[in-house]
Amino acid sequence: MYGTSAVVVGAGIVGCACARELALAGFEVTVVERGAAASATTAHGEGNVLVSDKGPGPELQLAQLSRRLWPQVLAAAAERSAHAARAVEWEPKGGIVVATTDAGARELTRFAAGQRTAGVHTEILDADALAAAEPYVTRDHAAAVHYPEDAQVQPAAAAAALLTDALAAGATLRTGCEVLGAVTCGERITAVRTSTGLLEADCFVNAAGPWSGELATRLGVPVDIRPRRGDVLVTTPVPPMVFHKVYDADYVGAVGSSAEDLQTSAVVESTRGGSVLIGSSRRRVGFDDRLRPAVLSAVAAKALRLFPALAGVPVMRAYGGFRPYVPDHLPVIGADPRLSGLWHVGGHEGAGIGLSVGSARLLRELMLGQPTEMDTTPFRVDRPAVLGGRPAPAREETA
Amino acid sequence: MTTRHVVVVGAGPAGLAAAEAALAAGARVTLIDSADRPGGQYHRMLPEAYGAARPERLQHGWWAFDRRRRRVLTHPRCAWWPETSVWALERPDPTEPGVPRVHVVRGPADGGRRSRLRLDPDALVLAVGAHDRVLPFPGWELPGVFTAGAAQALAKGERVVVGDRVVVAGTGPFLLPVAASLLQAGSRVLEVLEANTAGTLARGWARRPWQLAAYGGKAGELAEYTALLLRHRVPCRVGRAVVEARGDGRVEEVVTARLRADWSVVPGTERTAPVDAVCVSHGFSPQLELPVAAGCTLRSAPGGEFVAVDDDQRTSCPNVYAAGEITGIAGAPAARAEGALAGWLAAGGVPDALALRPLRRSRDQGRAFAERLAGAHPIGAAWPEWLRPETVVCRCEEADYASLCRAAGNAASRGARVAKLETRAGLGPCQGRICGPTVAELSARLTGRPAERPAEGIPAAGPHHRPIAQPIRLGELAAAPEPLPGNTESHPSM
Ligand SMILES: Cc1cc2nc3c(=O)[nH]c(=O)nc-3n(C[C@H](O)[C@H](O)[C@H](O)COP(=O)(O)OP(=O)(O)OC[C@H]3O[C@@H](n4cnc5c(N)ncnc54)[C@H](O)[C@@H]3O)c2cc1C
Ligand SMILES: Cc1cc2nc3c(=O)[nH]c(=O)nc-3n(C[C@H](O)[C@H](O)[C@H](O)COP(=O)(O)OP(=O)(O)OC[C@H]3O[C@@H](n4cnc5c(N)ncnc54)[C@H](O)[C@@H]3O)c2cc1C
């Protein structure tokens, strides 16, 4: 692909991962970002790289692909910038899902059995095993499953490392540059108009996160990617009390919720700095940036159900971001059928950090016309949910 | 007509005056402070310092404060909530009129579980004051290096002598009362160093001298402190600063140096002096997290950022007023005048009441004084030259200057948020209250660009963005807000 130019719009983790794959494949890549790199959604979420929260299906397959790729990508990036790769704080610490009700326990056991058939490592923990793995977790639980493949990154640093590697491979970065519209020739996009001038290229990648819908509209080909707010609590540093990612099994049964109102489920984890990170909520409130104490309160209550011992630990910060989501809850990876030269990668909702590297790999293969690592038809752009068809039933997941 | 409910946050000079004026205007007032007593910075600390300078003045100032305190706290329409922290302000829906909802936790910070309450006032007066600003320099993280305010609090509040051989350094008239109270507590003050040069001071203070004459009280106070230092033969030097502290596990000596007007070190003027404590102060940083959470517009002034207010102390948010040091650093009398104006108007008092005239005059004099103070005691642009790569910039997380430089040097990580997560500067327990403005300034210099434009829904990565304004325990947060106590319960808007 030497000599082919590509513009990636958006320097969130998805855009950074795409820029890296394309630059390594020989594209002349320009990353265009209206703010600073990795500063939007990517810096306002958590860094769970999970397989545990996905049932058998295309998203799980993408998660498994990504989980395989992460260590490889980081090892390769470390050869070019050891510092950037170290800052990623990759920790394959494993996840533990805890059910606190009998109904939840039944669901969890059934869910884990399904995942096992799809190749996910799961390990049922009895009370003693759970207490040994997580001494501070509630004794009042009905079932627990250990997922050794779950891992964690520091998301902004992960995006920065991917971008650093892309730049090392020849990509260029333009920050403070907003894409405003498209220049087309027939059915083909030939350039974008930006706040700092015209930018021509052979192909363009929409990686604008929760703003992907807005960007696509500006380019004349709307896609239905919307924001869904989530809030996270950060405690003051404490001595180690949480050793895995621990989360409640609430979400497993929560199929078909209206998703308009507040949903919370606790994901509790500690960071290298000693703080405990507690996520998170799900609300469809557009781009409303207001912090709602009632939401934080609900998140805190869920976390205490798992870890009663955290009641005395002070919360020193809260932040929130907007998960980019598609009404059918599957990401979008592929060419726009209406405007050739335009590609979309996004809509990963609460899993874009984990899924970024797999999605970028698929994009590269699709753009090169190579066989793909997995079937990408479920992610195609011309499906009803993306092009504004009837909304599919909502589903809940963690993170 | 239903009685207006005014919530005043902060019971320092500004907040107390606001509460008094709001009561006078007929409102129902809830006065909130995280401290257990009213008075704020000024009356918590000042009586002794005044006493040191001139006891009869202390009597006067103290009595005036004491009378006001009694009048306010015993007023039937006033609910006084000590040991109560506002941990969040919740903005109303942008399409709805309304005042931010006030979320508090009540009870001793180190005690058992505090109760969580929330208030929906008709108007809000923010009077949360400022804290000392300290610039980093090599060794400033050593035990024995104090902020001047902390040293003074220790010297007086707890009668702890911070050291036997102390250097007081930085900029601003505040250095003088600090030195005075150290002397009072029995420390030997070796010298008081004002970093700004005589030229800067003269230009700043001597411009428009009639304004200063109107603020004679302040000049008089300073003269008294100066006299006290003279009596103790403490040399006061201008154009000189502590540029390094050294010691093995605690400060043992300081390096001082002569500075140019821009605070660059004049080579060859370095001197070392054995000390066992250093007190530094480089002015004050207003506590802007609550105004920022409320959505108030800030203004940039030479001394830093402050809440923008109009002539009626109104912020950019409807029915949210600001008073005292969050609008500018001008001392207690100005804070009182601002507070009285804000309280009266927040309560719905008529804006052209005769009684407001002297208040407005005094407020305007205070603003002029603040401007002169900032002009005479600026922070010199070349101070970062004091830093070395290994100099700690954020004390909570021990992030050093080299890490800031590295983050700024990489296009992928120079965004404020990314750099913060990578360097960890500002992520610790103080949440950037100390280092935030410094890190923002250094990063802007290193990357050569102003803070980036935020995306829709994502707040600007400013140093004052702290939506959780005070730590709250998970258990307290998880609990539902309690019903309001006492007379406030019957209020329809609750
Ligand atoms: C609370 C919360 C918790 C989460 N937890 C997890 C988790 O544990 N694990 C996980 O995998 N995921 C998690 N996520 C989801 C994850 O954060 C997102 O899926 C991911 O960050 C999306 O990345 P992105 O690159 O698509 O979007 P972004 O990071 O938002 O990047 C898009 C970029 O495009 C830029 N842009 C937009 N429009 C334009 C334009 N017109 N011109 C130029 N630039 C433009 C934006 O400025 C932005 O920088 C969480 C999200 C939230 C909110
Ligand atoms: C050590 C020291 C010496 C000084 N010496 C002099 C002097 O000699 N002469 C002079 O004129 N001025 C002096 N000043 C300045 C003077 O103290 C201030 O001008 C004055 O106190 C400002 O009043 P304020 O009401 O704006 O703020 P403050 O007095 O700081 O009051 C703010 C109050 O708000 C409370 N608060 C803050 N956040 C919250 C929250 N989230 N929830 C609940 N409560 C909150 C605080 O507890 C505090 O009591 C000195 C200041 C200090 C620190």
Side-chain angles (χ1 to χ4, degrees):
Chain A
M1 274 298 125
Y2 289 89
T4 306
S5 57
V7 166
V8 175
V9 185
I13 194 158
V14 172
C16 294
C18 292
R20 177 179 177 276
E21 287 288 341
L22 297 182
L24 289 174
F27 286 83
E28 281 169 21
V29 177
T30 305
V31 182
V32 176
E33 165 59 53
R34 65 179 172 192
S39 295
T41 318
T42 296
H44 290 83
E46 293 166 89
N48 301 313
V49 178
L50 302 185
V51 294
S52 56
D53 64 337
K54 296 164 189 80
E59 205 193 357
L60 176 59
Q61 258 181 292
L62 181 57
Q64 289 170 312
L65 167 64
S66 300
R67 177 62 181 82
R68 239 188 358 263
L69 289 177
W70 267 113
Q72 298 169 17
V73 166
L74 290 176
E79 281 174 22
R80 287 173 287 260
S81 172
H83 173 77
R86 209 170 32 245
V88 173
E89 301 182 9
W90 167 259
E91 283 196 45
K93 54 161 72 164
I96 294 179
V97 183
V98 178
T100 49
T101 62
D102 289 334
R106 276 192 300 278
E107 270 304 317
L108 176 61
T109 318
R110 191 190 56 76
F111 191 69
Q115 290 173 311
R116 243 182 330 266
T117 62
V120 175
H121 296 288
T122 64
E123 201 185 311
I124 308 277
L125 300 181
D126 63 19
D128 289 343
L130 178 62
E134 288 292 342
Y136 296 93
V137 87
T138 175
R139 291 290 145 102
D140 203 10
H141 61 87
V145 179
H146 178 215
Y147 292 86
E149 290 159 296
D150 283 355
Q152 166 178 318
V153 293
Q154 196 269 77
L162 295 171
L163 182 55
T164 302
D165 212 32
L167 299 177
T172 53
L173 170 67
R174 289 198 196 176
T175 54
C177 175
E178 176 164 357
V179 173
L180 304 170
V183 178
T184 55
C185 178
E187 306 272 88
R188 180 163 196 91
I189 178 168
T190 57
V192 285
R193 284 186 294 109
T194 78
S195 55
T196 60
L198 209 63
L199 194 58
E200 294 182 338
D202 299 314
C203 38
F204 296 82
V205 179
N206 172 3
W211 300 276
S212 296
E214 183 197 72
L215 175 64
T217 303
R218 288 183 186 186
L219 301 179
V221 284
V223 295
D224 195 356
I225 295 181
R226 310 176 190 178
R228 195 171 185 199
R229 186 171 170 98
D231 295 280
V232 179
L233 305 174
V234 186
T235 73
T236 52
V238 289
M241 291 177 76
V242 184
F243 302 90
H244 302 74
K245 305 186 153 297
V246 182
Y247 60 94
D248 67 42
D250 278 6
Y251 74 96
V252 181
V255 179
S257 76
S258 84
E260 191 71 59
D261 40 322
L262 170 65
Q263 314 275 327
T264 55
S265 53
V267 184
V268 184
E269 64 188 279
S270 50
T271 63
R272 261 190 213 174
S275 285
V276 178
L277 227 58
I278 300 167
S280 67
S281 55
R282 260 176 209 76
R283 287 182 296 149
R284 272 166 42 183
V285 290
F287 284 109
D288 184 347
D289 71 335
R290 286 175 300 156
L291 167 135
R292 309 310 295 258
V295 172
L296 304 186
S297 182
V299 172
K302 285 278 173 76
L304 289 183
R305 226 169 59 184
L306 288 178
F307 285 96
L310 290 176
V313 176
V315 175
M316 63 175 182
R317 180 165 74 245
Y319 62 88
F322 301 91
R323 302 180 186 83
Y325 87 100
V326 180
D328 66 2
H329 299 280
L330 280 179
V332 181
I333 305 167
D336 193 297
R338 299 156 298 179
L339 189 60
S340 79
L342 178 64
W343 301 74
H344 302 278
V345 185
H348 298 91
E349 196 154 353
I353 304 302
L355 301 181
S356 59
V357 290
S359 304
R361 177 62 55 89
L362 295 179
L363 176 77
R364 162 180 166 165
E365 290 163 349
L366 287 170
M367 286 179 78
L368 293 175
Q370 292 173 345
T372 51
E373 303 248 5
M374 61 174 281
D375 178 17
T376 58
T377 34
F379 308 135
R380 73 194 187 280
V381 179
D382 63 346
R383 58 186 212 257
V386 180
L387 296 184
R390 84 204 135 74
R395 181 175 61 74
E396 286 304 305
E397 75 272 57
T398 42
Chain B
M1 205 184 87
T2 56
T3 318
R4 264 172 89 78
H5 180 206
V6 177
V7 165
V8 179
V9 187
L16 209 53
E20 185 181 36
L23 290 166
R28 197 162 58 78
V29 170
T30 306
L31 177 61
I32 295 172
D33 201 298
S34 31
D36 59 352
R37 283 173 301 165
Q41 300 272 23
Y42 191 66
H43 295 290
R44 252 203 298 278
M45 313 200 164
L46 222 68
E48 284 92 339
Y50 261 46
R54 226 164 85 188
E56 64 280 12
R57 273 183 71 111
L58 161 68
Q59 294 302 327
H60 178 72
W62 178 258
W63 280 345
F65 162 67
D66 197 42
R67 273 198 305 277
R68 166 172 280 139
R69 177 176 65 170
R70 273 174 215 282
R71 258 199 313 273
V72 170
L73 302 194
T74 59
H75 197 288
R77 272 183 281 109
C78 180
W80 159 233
W81 290 12
E83 297 190 304
T84 303
S85 292
V86 176
W87 67 271
L89 287 180
E90 185 177 10
R91 271 180 289 135
D93 193 297
T95 59
E96 287 166 21
V99 176
R101 175 174 270 184
V102 182
H103 291 265
V104 306
V105 277
R106 261 186 98 167
D110 49 2
R113 178 168 299 181
R114 300 173 294 178
S115 48
R116 182 151 95 79
L117 300 138
R118 55 170 200 235
L119 292 160
D120 287 296
D122 300 305
L124 182 60
V125 178
L126 298 176
V128 289
H131 56 81
D132 336 50
R133 173 160 190 207
V134 177
L135 298 175
F137 53 87
W140 74 306
E141 75 282 9
L142 285 173
V145 180
F146 296 88
T147 68
Q152 195 177 31
L154 282 174
K156 296 200 298 184
E158 331 212 335
R159 305 263 160 210
V160 173
V161 180
V162 298
D164 294 326
R165 299 173 54 84
V166 190
V167 169
V168 177
T171 186
F174 180 47
L175 300 176
L176 300 178
V178 170
S181 54
L182 291 174
L183 288 171
Q184 214 48 27
S187 296
R188 198 169 139 218
V189 178
L190 300 183
E191 49 187 357
V192 177
L193 305 179
E194 160 66 53
N196 280 295
T197 61
T200 308
L201 296 172
R203 267 191 306 281
W205 286 117
R207 216 174 18 168
R208 294 193 291 266
W210 61 91
Q211 289 177 341
L212 195 58
Y215 226 65
K218 277 265 144 297
E221 265 170 41
L222 295 180
E224 284 154 25
Y225 294 132
T226 313
L228 181 80
L229 296 182
L230 274 174
R231 275 204 304 285
H232 283 80
R233 298 181 202 289
V234 177
C236 295
R237 301 198 164 85
V238 297
R240 210 169 173 89
V242 169
V243 294
E244 183 178 354
R246 295 179 187 152
D248 186 9
R250 99 160 261 123
V251 62
E252 285 161 9
E253 62 179 25
V254 289
V255 180
T256 70
R258 217 169 84 216
L259 303 185
R260 303 194 187 90
D262 67 354
W263 291 22
S264 54
V265 170
V266 179
T269 61
E270 292 90 347
R271 275 205 303 255
T272 57
V275 297
D276 54 11
V278 191
C279 301
V280 274
S281 166
H282 298 103
F284 293 89
S285 296
Q287 306 222 135
L288 294 178
E289 53 269 56
L290 291 183
V292 165
C296 302
T297 304
L298 304 183
R299 71 181 170 92
S300 287
E305 279 187 310
F306 296 95
V307 182
V309 285
D310 68 6
D311 273 350
D312 289 340
Q313 302 301 131
R314 274 192 303 234
T315 68
S316 60
C317 300
N319 291 308
V320 179
Y321 294 75
E325 305 233 284
I326 54 173
T327 73
I329 305 298
R336 272 196 296 273
E338 288 198 345
L341 266 173
W344 176 265
L345 296 167
V350 285
D352 48 6
L354 256 174
L356 297 193
R357 283 199 197 153
L359 286 177
R360 288 185 193 278
R361 204 158 43 238
S362 155
R363 190 265 323 271
D364 292 343
Q365 284 165 1
R367 284 187 183 169
F369 177 76
E371 215 176 290
R372 297 166 63 94
L373 190 65
H377 299 276
I379 287 180
W383 73 266
E385 289 176 14
W386 308 350
L387 302 176
R388 303 211 191 100
E390 69 279 11
T391 304
V392 167
V393 173
C394 161
R395 291 199 283 204
C396 297
E397 293 285 333
E398 299 184 349
D400 61 20
Y401 185 49
S403 72
L404 289 191
C405 296
R406 195 164 49 223
N410 178 355
S413 62
R414 71 163 56 124
R417 285 208 159 76
V418 187
K420 180 171 170 177
L421 286 163
E422 184 182 318
T423 62
R424 303 198 57 82
L427 285 180
C430 96
Q431 287 292 292
R433 282 180 178 81
I434 308 291
C435 69
T438 299
V439 171
E441 183 186 333
L442 290 174
S443 303
R445 269 163 196 260
L446 289 167
T447 58
R449 59 177 77 203
E452 65 257 15
R453 202 195 110 194
E456 186 181 9
I458 306 260
H464 310 294
H465 176 71
R466 275 185 288 273
I468 298 216
Q470 298 279 328
I472 175 168
R473 295 183 196 118
L474 266 172
E476 295 162 350
L477 181 57
E482 294 176 16
L484 293 166
N487 65 344
T488 44
E489 221 158 34
S490 58
H491 193 261
S493 77
M494 305 282 145

